[in-house]
Every structure is written in C-alpha cells, then in structure tokens.
Amino acid sequence: MASLNKVMLIGNVGSVPEVSKLPSGTIAVNLSLATNQRWKDRQTGEQKERTEWHHLKFYGKLGEIVEQYVSKGDRLYVEGRIQYSQTQKEQGDTKYWTDIVVQEMVMLGGRAGG
C-alpha cells in the first residue's frame, strides 16, 4: 500500500533566496515562507493573528526559476513534501529541522499588501 506525504501552502516569501550548488552541480535554493491564520477571539471579540514560518527547499530547474524570479515579499503557492533532518552541534545538542521540498510552484504576483 502506498503512502502520501504532501503539503500545499500559500504565503509570502520572508527571506532572500539562499542559492548553493550540490556536489553534483545541481542548484539548491532555500527560503522561508510565512503563512497567516486570522480569527476572532470568542471571549473578547478581538481579532487575532498567528504567523507560521516554513523552510522551503527547491532543487534543479525549479531552483533556477526561484533564483531568477522570486524575491522577498513575493506571494507563492507551493506543493511539496515534508522532510525531517537533524544536525549535531559541537555542544552535543541535536538540532531538528522540518523542511518542505517543493515539487511545484506558482508565483501569485504582487508583493504582500501591494
């Protein structure tokens, strides 16, 4: 039986894309994407907002497109898969990462608020 690992996000780019090359020569791009949730507090009637930050990874041709055309503040729709990783710090602590490896992207035009 097959399994499914799929994420769909619409949000605003929160960082300048970081571009690097893998040993194979493939381009790799990392950036952060902010998604917002808004709701009205039932007890106070006050408007609330919460921002979640997602770490996105783009590879190959998609990475080249991001490098050329995507800037901080741009609005994106992305589809991808969750990938977990960890690194060991010098102090012995382990740092855990949750990334979205993007497989499809649509640039939604315009910057946030613009």
Side-chain angles (χ1 to χ4, degrees):
M1 184 179 282
S3 59
L4 178 67
N5 178 351
K6 185 164 188 153
V7 176
M8 296 181 286
L9 300 169
I10 294 176
N12 299 308
V13 177
S15 63
V16 174
E18 297 174 17
V19 181
S20 61
K21 280 199 174 179
L22 301 176
S24 65
T26 302
I27 196 164
V29 179
N30 296 317
L31 61 81
S32 62
L33 188 80
T35 57
N36 298 308
Q37 177 185 12
R38 292 186 178 107
W39 71 95
K40 190 175 191 176
D41 186 290
R42 289 184 180 182
Q43 293 180 341
T44 66
E46 183 181 353
Q47 282 293 118
K48 301 277 188 172
E49 182 175 358
R50 178 184 174 127
T51 301
E52 297 286 348
W53 289 96
H54 311 276
H55 296 101
L56 307 183
K57 293 183 173 282
F58 301 81
Y59 295 104
K61 189 68 173 166
L62 197 52
E64 292 173 18
I65 292 168
V66 170
E67 178 184 24
Q68 274 193 300
Y69 299 108
V70 174
S71 301
K72 183 177 178 178
D74 287 350
R75 193 154 179 80
L76 299 179
Y77 167 80
V78 296
E79 288 185 20
R81 61 183 171 79
I82 295 174
Q83 179 177 286
Y84 300 103
S85 57
Q86 62 187 45
T87 55
Q88 200 73 25
K89 291 182 160 184
E90 289 180 23
Q91 302 85 1
D93 298 339
T94 303
K95 183 165 185 168
Y96 297 92
W97 297 93
T98 302
D99 296 309
I100 307 300
V101 178
V102 178
Q103 296 158 325
E104 293 184 42
M105 174 187 71
V106 176
M107 294 181 281
L108 299 176
R111 299 210 185 316

